[in-house]
Amino acid sequence: MTPHNEANRGDIKKTVLMPGDPLRAKYIAENFLTDVKQFNAVRNMLGFSGKYKGKELSVMGSGMGIPSIGIYAHELYEKYDVENIIRVGSCGAYNKDLKLFDLVIAMGASSDSNFAHQFNLPGTISAICDFDLLRKAVISAEKLDMNVKVGNVFSSDVFYNNNEDEWKRWEDMGILAVEMESYGLYLTAQKLGKKALTILTVSDSFHMKEQTTPKEREKSFNDMILVALESCLI
Ligand code: HPA
């Protein structure tokens, strides 16, 4: 047990899919997994273990932002012997070629967060994903015929940014999209010698403000989950 997780060691499998929203963890467990057992409800950060096509894995919410995913990922890796965390989330597109519901896989994560200050490094560390998880996710996306872009994302500390045009400077540096967690996840994995990857679906674009319907969002979420789950079988 930890202050944030009531699971016993062994309840959580080696690979954990992490959506931000705990109700999405429940949705994945109910719609994609068999033999499901809930292992956490502390703070309603729901977590479940089950099987996908016979392969044991877990799903758990991460909450929003680097501090939240930093807590849950640290505990999963260190207290529950988890080896792989695959974040499955949404992002806002900075890159103009990205369309709504395209997939973005975060090879690296840049940030305005000071999460890395704790490591006392005499420079700037790059937060990068695990290459093996990345390779498998790309193979899985290609097999499922999904539009996917792989590159650098921006993990922002703020959703409501007072500097309205700041995103253009990140776009200018080749950043594909903005979300709020991968930088914390990747650095936590790097520190603990574990593996992490983020797969995102584009939920909005900074170039064109388009509305999406709940049905469209559900389909694109399901497609992303399939990419993540199938990558675990490779
Ligand atoms: N900002 C931060 N995170 C996000 C966004 C955004 O615009 N869209 C989806 N996740």
Side-chain angles (χ1 to χ4, degrees):
M1 286 217 292
T2 76
H4 317 98
N5 198 326
E6 63 197 340
N8 293 310
R9 234 186 173 117
D11 289 349
I12 307 180
K13 306 304 171 191
K14 295 275 173 225
T15 298
V16 180
L17 261 58
M18 287 199 106
D21 179 352
L23 290 180
R24 290 217 153 160
K26 186 164 184 265
Y27 175 88
I28 296 167
E30 285 173 352
N31 291 283
F32 292 90
L33 306 185
T34 59
D35 308 277
V36 172
K37 276 202 193 116
Q38 185 172 329
F39 60 74
N40 192 47
V42 176
R43 287 176 182 252
N44 281 327
M45 199 52 81
L46 306 175
F48 306 85
S49 290
K51 288 182 185 168
Y52 178 71
K53 296 187 178 172
K55 165 115 184 156
E56 291 191 316
L57 45 83
S58 300
V59 288
M60 181 176 167
S62 70
M64 288 184 284
I66 290 166
S68 185
I69 201 166
I71 292 169
Y72 292 111
H74 184 99
E75 292 179 354
L76 289 173
Y77 286 138
E78 193 166 75
K79 307 287 181 208
Y80 293 101
D81 306 316
V82 168
E83 289 297 323
N84 313 301
I85 296 179
I86 303 177
R87 164 166 151 69
V88 279
S90 64
C91 63
Y94 283 177
N95 181 289
K96 63 179 174 342
D97 297 330
L98 278 170
K99 295 184 297 302
L100 290 179
F101 310 125
D102 281 351
L103 283 189
V104 173
I105 302 184
M107 185 157 62
S110 304
S111 191
D112 55 0
S113 151
N114 69 358
F115 189 79
H117 286 199
Q118 62 178 309
F119 305 119
N120 257 319
L121 299 163
T124 313
I125 189 165
S126 301
I128 60 166
C129 72
D130 176 74
F131 178 70
D132 192 43
L133 293 185
L134 172 64
R135 195 176 62 81
K136 289 174 177 168
V138 171
I139 293 170
S140 171
E142 284 172 352
K143 271 193 191 160
L144 291 163
D145 216 10
M146 301 276 309
N147 276 335
V148 61
K149 260 194 195 295
V150 180
N152 207 345
V153 302
F154 177 55
S155 300
S156 181
D157 252 357
V158 283
F159 187 86
Y160 299 106
N161 197 327
N162 211 36
N163 302 291
E164 272 187 12
D165 288 340
E166 207 176 83
W167 67 274
K168 292 196 181 113
R169 282 185 269 151
W170 289 106
E171 184 204 13
D172 197 43
M173 289 302 293
I175 299 290
L176 296 176
V178 59
E179 49 89 84
M180 301 186 76
E181 290 81 16
S182 298
Y183 186 74
L185 172 63
Y186 287 4
L187 290 184
T188 301
Q190 283 168 231
K191 176 66 186 166
L192 299 175
K194 304 280 185 164
K195 299 182 177 188
L197 181 70
T198 291
I199 307 176
L200 303 160
T201 173
V202 175
S203 62
D204 50 273
S205 170
F206 282 65
H207 289 276
M208 36 176 174
K209 289 291 164 201
E210 285 180 61
Q211 297 289 327
T212 61
T213 66
K215 265 260 160 296
E216 287 173 322
R217 287 197 294 272
E218 184 175 324
K219 175 169 182 334
S220 77
F221 182 74
N222 287 349
D223 288 346
M224 172 178 59
I225 297 307
L226 268 186
V227 168
L229 288 170
E230 288 289 324
S231 79
C232 298
L233 304 179
I234 295 170

